[in-house]
Amino acid sequence: MVKRTHDEGSVEPDSQGPPHAKLRRDSPEASPPEPMRILSWNVETPVPFLQLPATQARSATGAGVVAGSHPGQLRELLRRHDFPDFACLQEVRARHTDKQWIPALRLAANYGAHDTGPKYTLFHSLNRAPRGQRHFGVATYAREPHTVVAAREVEWDAEGRVLILELQAGWALVNVYALNGSEYMWRDPLGHAAPKTRNERKREFNRLLLEECVALQRRGLRLVLIGDFNISLTKRDCFPRLRTEYPHGLARAEFREQFIPGLDVVDVFRELHPQTRAYSWFAKGKPQGKDCARVDYALVESGLRENVVDITYLEDPAERGQSDHAPLLLIMKGMTVADQSSQGSDAQDVQEQDEAE
C-alpha cells in the first residue's frame, strides 16, 4: 500500500476510488466564483525559508545558502500573488525520515505570528531513502484542504518526484519533478530496481507517469499536471540552443509524440502565447537570458482548455530568490464543486495524525 501523506493525516480511498463531483458550470444568474490559482516553483533548495535546528541546518546548507536566513520567503511569495489555492514546490530535498524538516516545511507557508492571511495544509511526497544526501521531494500546499479527497504518492517512484491530489470537483492535480537526463548512473534509493543511466530512467519515468495518469482518467478524473518536467519542447523554449542530439532528442520526441497526446493534454502557455519567449530555468553565474530554458509547465487536459484564464512565468530574479527556477502561476475558472453543500458527507476525513511525524 502506498502511503498517503498529509500534514494533518493520511487519506485512504476505498477500492472504488474517492467520490467526486462534477466541475462547476457557472450559472448566468449567479456571480461567478473567483478563479482558482495554482503556483508552481522548483525551489532548488528550501533551506533559506526552513527554520531548522542548528545540526540540521549545517547538514542542509549548500554553498552560499544559509538555512533559515529568510524564513518568510515562501509566505511572502504567496502573499504577493494573492494567496493561491495551491502551491506546488519541487526539489524540497527532504526524506521521509527527516522528522524536523516536515514541520519546518509546514511552517514555511504559514510563517508569521500576526499574519491574518489564510493558512495552508501541507501534502508531501519525499525521498524514501533512509539515509544519504537530501535530494528530490515535492510538496503541495492547499489553502482549502477540505476539497482534497485523496493525496498519494506512486508505487513506482521512491525519490519523491510525484504527488497526486484528487479533488472533490472531479479533477486531479499532479505535482511533478521529472529527472534531468544525463549519462550519469541512476540508482533506486531503496535498491529495488537495477541501476541505469539517468537518461534511461527519465524515459522510463515519463512512461510510468503516463500510465499513472491514464489510470486517473479512466476513473473519470480530469488532469492538471504542473511542475518541473526537465525537458524543453521547442527551439523557442531555449537559449542559446535546443539540445537535439541523442538521447535528449529521443526523450523529447517521446514526450511530444507519446506523453502529451497519450493524455490529451496541452501546454497551455504555448496555446495562449504561441510566439512569446518565456523561460523558467536560468543558469547561475550568467546574465539573465544568456543561458535559459522553459522546462516547467502546466499541462492541462484538453477538455479543461477553456477553463484556463492565463499562465505567467515570474521571471524577475526577486521572485525566484535562491533558486535557478522561476515560479509559474496558472489561473483557471470553473474548477470548484458544483454544489459544495451536497458533497460534505462524501468527502473523506483528512484530520488524522500524520504518519510521517
Side-chain angles (χ1 to χ4, degrees), residues 274-295:
Q275 303 303 320
T276 301
R277 286 188 175 273
Y279 306 106
S280 64
W281 172 84
F282 300 86
K284 289 191 171 182
K286 296 184 179 181
Q288 179 152 321
K290 294 298 184 181
D291 188 356
C292 48
R294 188 170 72 97
V295 295

Side-chain angles (χ1 to χ4, degrees), residues 51-63:
Q51 299 181 63
L52 296 167
T55 55
Q56 291 279 316
R58 283 194 295 272
S59 65
T61 304

Side-chain angles (χ1 to χ4, degrees), residues 200-217:
E200 290 171 329
R201 177 58 180 176
K202 180 181 184 69
R203 294 170 58 210
E204 180 181 59
F205 176 93
N206 289 339
R207 289 194 297 270
L208 291 167
L209 182 59
L210 171 62
E211 293 170 5
E212 191 77 39
C213 290
V214 166
L216 290 170
Q217 291 175 320

